[in-house]
Amino acid sequence: MAWGRTNKAGADHGDPQAAGGRLARQATASLAGLLAERGMTRKDLADRMGVSPGRVSQILSGGENLTLRSLAAVAECLDAQVEIVFSDAPAPHEPARTRPDAQHATAPAGTYAHSRLH
């Protein structure tokens, strides 16, 4: 039996590759928001991390497979923390639940995890 879940519109929410992509985009959007909030550039982050600006661009593109270690390294350099919460996905007709202080993009229905840098 394959992992998967289909909503009324027929969209598959159980595709692990798609879920990973959504989670990566959410994490990078949160990171970009944190950088903007702090008035930092990609070069500023690269300098703090001791990596090239190109490496920071790779991280922020969301196209690579982000690891918890790479997210933790970024958070450490920003004096921030990474928070990962597993919760039930909202029903297709319910809006996603977010905390008022959340600095992340809302995960689409069917996403089982979210992360937040703060």
Side-chain angles (χ1 to χ4, degrees):
M1 180 166 108
W3 286 61
R5 198 168 54 145
T6 304
N7 67 13
K8 290 181 181 177
D12 184 14
H13 289 288
D15 178 11
Q17 294 299 323
R22 285 191 302 271
L23 188 58
R25 285 188 301 276
Q26 183 180 9
T28 57
S30 177
L31 175 55
L34 183 61
L35 289 174
E37 179 182 296
R38 294 184 178 187
M40 293 180 66
T41 65
R42 291 175 181 209
K43 182 174 181 342
D44 295 333
L45 179 58
D47 290 345
R48 284 192 182 188
M49 293 181 70
V51 300
S52 71
R55 174 66 181 128
V56 171
S57 290
Q58 286 177 331
I59 292 169
L60 290 174
S61 74
E64 73 168 56
N65 184 16
L66 294 175
T67 66
L68 292 176
R69 289 175 194 222
S70 63
L71 292 174
V74 168
E76 183 73 22
C77 291
L78 295 174
D79 294 322
Q81 69 181 22
V82 177
E83 182 179 299
I84 299 174
V85 178
F86 288 87
S87 61
D88 291 330
H93 63 280
E94 293 179 23
R97 296 176 302 255
T98 60
R99 293 179 12 195
D101 65 336
Q103 302 244 347
H104 65 279
T106 302
T111 300
Y112 290 96
H114 70 274
S115 63
R116 177 166 74 100
L117 287 171
H118 60 96

